Amino acid sequence: MPVVEQSVVIARPASEVWSFVTVAENWPSWEASTVECEQLTDGELGVGTRWRGVTRILGRRLDWVTEFVEYEPLKVATSKSVESKVGFTATTRLEEIDGGTLFTYRVDSESGLGGIFGKLADPIVAKAYSRTVQASLDNLADLLTIDS
């Protein structure tokens, strides 16, 4: 199972980072592979909330729906794909540190990426996606600290 995990320090309090990253519509503004993202269920984010989105990985379009299976405000949110060609779990984790917030984003995906690229391509796809995730996290840090 390919795993991509990257972190960045954001010079903002965890509450501000959390408030931004837990709004589905904000994801395309910072996460480079996210083309579309919206919350499907009504109400506040929590376990059972569903998001729908479109991700582009190495030029391939992946439509998905996820459901949050873990939600601890200001600390961690984990969603699992419930509709997608590729099974995956995505976790965002925040930790208050000196100088701001350590933000970690982790994606665990099925081996072979559901046949989209094939099992032999897993290491190449994971490496490319890891670079994209790190660039996205750097973009998030810049976006949230522009006005500070």
Side-chain angles (χ1 to χ4, degrees), residues 123-136:
I124 296 165
V125 174
K127 187 173 183 178
Y129 185 58
S130 185
R131 285 192 303 267
T132 299
V133 169
Q134 188 60 59
S136 295

Side-chain angles (χ1 to χ4, degrees), residues 63 78 86-87 89 116 120 127:
D63 295 277
T78 301
V86 176
T89 302
I116 292 177
L120 293 177
K127 187 173 183 178

Side-chain angles (χ1 to χ4, degrees), residues 14-22 71-77 94:
S15 61
E16 291 181 24
V17 177
W18 187 261
S19 291
F20 188 80
V21 300
T22 57
Y71 183 79
E72 189 176 341
L74 302 177
K75 293 188 179 177
V76 64
L94 280 70

Side-chain angles (χ1 to χ4, degrees), residues 28 41 89 112 126 138 141 147:
T41 51
T89 302
D138 292 341
D147 296 326

Side-chain angles (χ1 to χ4, degrees), residues 89-145:
T89 302
T91 301
T92 55
R93 188 173 306 278
L94 280 70
E95 180 183 339
E96 292 265 4
I97 60 168
D98 287 341
T101 302
L102 177 64
F103 179 82
T104 301
Y105 183 57
R106 177 184 171 113
V107 178
D108 296 84
S109 59
E110 289 179 346
S111 182
L113 292 172
I116 292 177
F117 294 102
K119 189 174 184 176
L120 293 177
D122 277 354
I124 296 165
V125 174
K127 187 173 183 178
Y129 185 58
S130 185
R131 285 192 303 267
T132 299
V133 169
Q134 188 60 59
S136 295
L137 294 183
D138 292 341
N139 184 38
L140 176 64
D142 290 345
L143 183 65
L144 293 179
T145 56

Side-chain angles (χ1 to χ4, degrees), residues 21-22 27 39 45-51 66-71 76-80 82 90 92:
V21 300
T22 57
W27 278 67
Q39 185 167 316
L45 187 65
V47 171
T49 299
R50 287 191 173 200
W51 284 8
T66 60
E67 182 172 306
F68 283 84
V69 295
E70 178 183 23
Y71 183 79
V76 64
T78 301
S79 61
K80 187 174 175 90
V82 294
T92 55

